[in-house]
Amino acid sequence: MSEIMKNDDIVLQVEDLRVEYHTDESLVKAVNGIDLTVRRNQTLGLVGETGAGKTTTALSIMNLIPDQVGVIAGGSITLEGKKTLEMSDEEMNHIRGKDVAMIFQDPMTALNPVTTVGDQIAEALRIHEGLDKKAAAEKAGKMLEVVGIPAERANEYPHQFSGGMKQRVVIAIGLSCNPHLLIADEPTTALDVTIQAQVLEIMQELKEKFQMSMIMITHDLGIVAEICDEVSVMYAGRIVEHGTLEDVFEHTKHPYTEGLFNSLPDINDRSRKLTPIPGLMPDPANLPQGCAFAPRCRYATEECTKAVPEKRWISDTHYVACSAYDDPAFHIERKVD
Amino acid sequence: MGRYILKRLAMLIPVILGVIFVVFFIMDLAPGSPVNQMVSENATEEEIQAIIDEYGFDDPLLVRYGRYIWDLLHGDLGRSYTTKQPVLELYLQKLGATAQLAISAILLAMIMSLPLGIYAAVKQNKWQDGACMVISLLGLSIPNFWLGLMLIILFALHLGWFPASGNRELISIVLPAFTEGTGLMAFLTRTTRSSMLETIRADYMVTARAKGVTRVASVMKHALKNALIPIVNASGMQLAYVMAGSVLTETVFAWPGVGRQLVIAITDRDIPVITGFLIMGATITALINLTVDIVYAYVDPRIKVQYATKKKAKKTPKAKEEKAA
């Protein structure tokens, strides 16, 4: 693949992004130099525990970091050739919702409770497509039908919908202006398992229909396996392992990724004990000097606490940030057949 | 909804009975007798006794209370001891001026407090926020009667822009409305700010911004609409308070309203006027509260549903009874 073609294929490129939250008491380093690449019509899974910096990363892409405390300390974000971090808020208003849209974790609070769902969908259409009130309302009704809600319910308020229906409405808002990139921030976490499957199915279906690229933020490896093409595993504001779905699932390299898999129950081997990762994620206001995962890592050596491990490319598509691989004989215990 | 309004109106009855009883009780405990105000200085014992008999001042408290309620049921609030004018007529005469003052003051307060409160919330913890809060604190801490007098000295005496007292021309409203409005403004600004602080942090604000809504539009459209409930509530309370008669402002500006008349009645121990005005005040307060509750339903669709569910909840036991039968 030539370099030019490769670039043309990239919808979003995040390079060395650093985000900090400045509070009176502390400096929280939420995102510490991450790289992400999303290709056209592909889905990138961003996996990690609560507090790993996934949502902060997503909000940075939208350029919506809470501006009283949050600071983008460095790096660049290129969305379809446009450097979004250098754009003014005014310029970003034309991009948000049109080129890149976002779906939120909690549909119960993501919708404005005093505005009808139809108006909430129509709002984006009126801003980006310049539709008049009537045309926007009409298209909003169509969008509701796209996500499986009868158009006549457009005049109802969010409290008249169930959780799964609300998330469909949030999806309809996100998709209303045919964005090229959709960021889904744990879109199913707040939903029942049966509803989760429905919502995921709709998203997958619409992603293909609208030819979108997607970033799926989740802590659920099952969802990743189901819908992602590539996976980035995030820990304490850094990407510790990245690769294609196959790379990460079949040739797991990072001890943290291994820990995530070991925490999953295995229906074929119920005698196997769950092995949760011991300890907690370090306080992002007080990160350890070396590898942030070292205090919880069973392979950790003294080397690990000295410096932040560099990226190590395993193949063209797969990298891991772990200094244990300095030793060519090192391998993690997880075996995949 | 109609049923809810009826229920609320019915709840007015015990409130009014309570108000009458409390007023009767307090006036009974107060020293002195209204008779002294009603007879000339050199009245004879017989003349005094005649008046006591005529008005039944010697009857026990409960008897007078019962008699009053009976008259009230016939729409009669009694007559003023001093002017012999029917109380209801007197009240309605004074209500216009008070309503005029109350509505101008509350409108003025809202015009000032909404922008101040919204701006303060958006600039939370910055100097602009501090400035807005200082303005509102000033409004809260400056006593009305003092501010009124200062305004009269400056704008009526020195500059001569506005009349110092009375309600003869339209322009007379300016100074009293401003005086009354600053006090109301302070409270409303604080309510607006704290209510807005909650809503501008809500998740749906991020949803709106992610759609491409501008910062200003997201605050004015999404946050404000959600912040309105406490603001409507506070405005209603303030309006009720001023409608009951802003005694100080009306007195300072010799504003011919309910509050000033009430002060005159109290000095004269004109019990029918005091009782009647207090009853009317309580009724108007209750009616304003009811209006506020109805406005809620239009501001927040979730509340409308609550009214509907209340109805349904009432129907269920009935349905059960029918089933049991």
Side-chain angles (χ1 to χ4, degrees):
Chain A
M1 205 189 288
S2 81
E3 196 61 34
I4 298 163
M5 263 188 72
K6 216 177 173 180
N7 279 343
D8 197 40
D9 218 28
I10 290 172
V11 175
L12 176 79
Q13 180 98 50
V14 175
E15 284 167 301
D16 196 29
L17 178 70
R18 292 167 190 278
V19 185
E20 293 166 358
Y21 291 106
H22 298 259
T23 66
D24 288 344
E25 299 86 33
S26 57
L27 171 70
V28 177
K29 294 186 168 174
V31 176
N32 304 300
I34 67 163
D35 300 321
L36 293 175
T37 306
V38 183
R39 281 166 237 282
R40 201 162 295 285
N41 298 340
Q42 298 266 298
T43 300
L44 170 72
L46 193 54
V47 186
E49 288 169 77
T50 309
K54 296 169 297 184
T55 301
T56 300
T57 307
L59 289 175
S60 308
I61 298 169
M62 302 296 290
N63 213 341
L64 280 178
I65 294 287
D67 55 68
Q68 298 222 355
V69 286
V71 176
I72 295 184
S76 76
I77 295 175
T78 314
L79 181 75
E80 299 191 300
K82 288 168 275 195
K83 302 261 182 202
T84 57
L85 291 182
E86 291 159 21
M87 295 174 98
S88 69
D89 196 49
E90 169 71 20
E91 289 169 309
M92 272 312 288
N93 285 335
H94 297 293
I95 290 187
R96 285 191 280 253
K98 184 160 180 276
D99 296 342
V100 53
M102 189 162 166
I103 294 175
F104 298 90
Q105 180 169 357
D106 189 354
M108 312 300 160
T109 56
L111 291 171
N112 186 338
V114 300
T115 309
T116 63
V117 297
D119 284 348
Q120 296 191 51
I121 301 171
E123 192 173 21
L125 292 163
R126 297 188 65 181
I127 293 170
H128 297 299
E129 304 197 350
L131 298 181
D132 61 36
K133 208 171 178 178
K134 204 177 149 212
E138 211 167 282
K139 180 142 188 224
K142 280 197 190 123
M143 281 313 298
L144 276 179
E145 276 173 350
V146 167
V147 295
I149 298 174
E152 58 268 21
R153 295 199 65 183
N155 292 327
E156 291 182 18
Y157 292 90
H159 67 264
Q160 290 162 289
F161 290 80
S162 67
M165 299 276 260
K166 278 185 204 158
Q167 193 59 296
R168 286 167 192 245
V169 173
V170 175
I171 293 172
I173 293 175
L175 298 185
S176 57
C177 299
N178 301 355
H180 306 139
L181 174 66
L182 181 69
I183 305 172
D185 184 4
E186 308 212 24
T188 57
T189 306
L191 305 175
D192 290 343
V193 182
T194 46
I195 309 296
Q196 284 187 7
Q198 284 181 10
V199 167
L200 278 180
E201 199 185 300
I202 284 185
M203 290 185 61
Q204 185 73 334
E205 206 182 286
L206 295 175
K207 190 206 138 215
E208 268 145 45
K209 186 174 167 191
F210 288 91
Q211 301 223 315
M212 287 183 303
S213 310
M214 188 151 84
I215 298 179
M216 173 60 78
I217 297 176
T218 181
H219 56 252
D220 185 336
L221 290 167
I223 293 177
V224 174
E226 205 160 313
I227 69 169
C228 295
D229 304 299
E230 288 184 73
V231 188
S232 290
V233 181
M234 206 168 170
Y235 187 80
R238 293 194 183 96
I239 307 255
V240 294
E241 182 166 7
H242 169 87
T244 62
L245 191 63
E246 197 197 329
D247 289 336
V248 175
F249 275 61
E250 310 287 319
H251 310 287
T252 312
K253 291 292 179 204
H254 199 279
Y256 176 65
T257 320
E258 179 194 33
L260 286 180
F261 282 113
N262 283 344
S263 324
L264 288 178
D266 182 356
I267 193 136
N268 296 319
D269 181 10
R270 292 179 55 182
S271 61
R272 185 181 73 94
K273 270 196 167 175
L274 288 182
T275 38
I277 307 170
L280 292 170
M281 188 142 64
D283 178 3
N286 190 18
L287 288 177
Q289 203 188 358
C291 171
F293 186 60
R296 301 169 74 185
C297 178
R298 53 182 174 150
Y299 309 105
T301 61
E302 207 182 310
E303 283 303 299
C304 297
T305 58
K306 285 183 182 158
V308 176
E310 296 285 313
K311 272 188 201 174
R312 254 153 259 266
W313 287 91
I314 312 290
S315 69
D316 278 356
T317 53
H318 191 185
Y319 71 75
V320 63
C322 175
S323 23
Y325 287 93
D326 283 348
D327 176 2
F330 177 79
H331 64 89
I332 56 167
E333 281 169 22
R334 175 177 146 91
K335 289 199 184 83
V336 188
D337 28 46
Chain B
M1 194 80 182
R3 199 183 172 129
Y4 174 79
I5 294 171
L6 276 181
K7 204 168 96 189
R8 287 287 301 267
L9 287 175
M11 271 159 59
L12 255 181
I13 296 168
V15 171
I16 289 174
L17 288 180
V19 169
I20 300 172
F21 188 77
V22 170
V23 173
F24 255 76
F25 196 67
I26 291 174
M27 293 312 287
D28 198 59
L29 285 178
S33 158
V35 186
N36 301 335
Q37 309 284 336
M38 298 167 76
V39 293
S40 56
E41 270 173 44
N42 40 14
T44 62
E45 283 293 315
E46 286 79 34
E47 279 170 342
I48 291 175
Q49 193 56 46
I51 288 181
I52 289 177
D53 288 342
E54 187 192 338
Y55 287 92
F57 288 141
D58 271 352
D59 292 340
L61 179 66
L62 277 177
V63 173
R64 278 179 281 142
Y65 181 67
R67 195 160 53 210
Y68 189 84
I69 303 278
W70 182 251
D71 288 344
L72 184 65
L73 285 177
H74 294 81
D76 182 7
L77 282 176
R79 279 166 186 275
S80 160
Y81 288 159
T82 46
T83 62
K84 309 285 180 246
Q85 193 184 8
V87 172
L88 190 61
E89 191 187 298
L90 180 67
Y91 182 80
L92 293 177
Q93 236 172 47
K94 302 291 175 188
L95 185 64
T98 291
Q100 196 188 347
L101 173 61
I103 290 167
S104 341
I106 199 92
L107 284 181
L108 192 70
M110 284 170 102
I111 290 169
M112 291 192 285
S113 66
L114 280 176
L116 273 180
I118 294 170
Y119 189 66
V122 172
K123 298 280 178 192
Q124 192 199 6
N125 296 336
K126 297 194 177 146
W127 69 266
Q128 295 98 325
D129 179 23
C132 293
M133 284 305 96
V134 167
I135 295 174
S136 105
L137 197 67
L138 279 178
L140 204 65
S141 32
I142 296 176
N144 269 358
F145 61 88
W146 183 83
L147 178 66
L149 290 174
M150 291 304 123
L151 290 176
I152 290 175
I153 291 173
L154 181 63
F155 290 104
L157 294 184
H158 288 304
L159 297 171
W161 291 354
F162 304 105
S165 67
N167 182 24
R168 279 176 302 277
E169 348 162 37
L170 199 61
I171 202 174
S172 311
I173 189 76
V174 175
L175 293 184
F178 187 80
T179 306
E180 194 64 38
T182 43
L184 306 180
M185 176 275 289
F187 182 63
L188 281 183
T189 306
R190 291 182 163 262
T191 310
T192 307
R193 176 178 178 270
S194 63
S195 185
M196 286 295 290
L197 279 180
E198 245 172 65
T199 57
I200 53 178
R201 272 178 187 60
D203 284 353
Y204 51 77
M205 290 294 284
V206 187
T207 312
R209 297 282 282 137
K211 271 190 257 186
V213 178
T214 62
R215 193 183 300 262
V216 175
S218 69
V219 170
M220 297 313 287
K221 250 179 96 177
H222 292 270
L224 183 59
K225 209 170 165 194
N226 277 282
L228 274 182
I229 288 275
I231 299 173
V232 168
N233 180 35
S235 312
M237 268 167 54
Q238 302 277 51
L239 181 65
Y241 168 76
V242 195
M243 277 301 288
S246 30
V247 174
L248 287 177
T249 308
E250 287 187 1
T251 309
V252 169
F253 288 97
W255 189 260
V258 171
R260 186 159 160 268
Q261 189 62 44
L262 192 59
V263 173
I264 295 170
I266 290 172
T267 347
D268 290 348
R269 308 194 58 75
D270 198 345
I271 295 171
V273 174
I274 300 172
T275 321
F277 274 41
L278 289 180
I279 292 168
M280 292 310 290
T283 312
I284 284 192
T285 306
L287 288 179
I288 289 174
N289 284 344
L290 176 61
T291 316
V292 166
D293 282 357
I294 294 168
V295 172
Y296 276 2
Y298 289 93
V299 173
D300 191 334
R302 286 167 296 181
I303 292 176
K304 217 176 206 166
V305 177
Q306 278 174 21
Y307 291 147
T309 36
K310 263 183 199 164
K311 252 194 210 168
K312 270 181 202 159
K314 270 196 169 174
K315 272 179 192 162
T316 352
K318 256 188 202 167
K320 271 183 194 165
E321 277 167 25
E322 278 165 16
K323 265 189 190 171

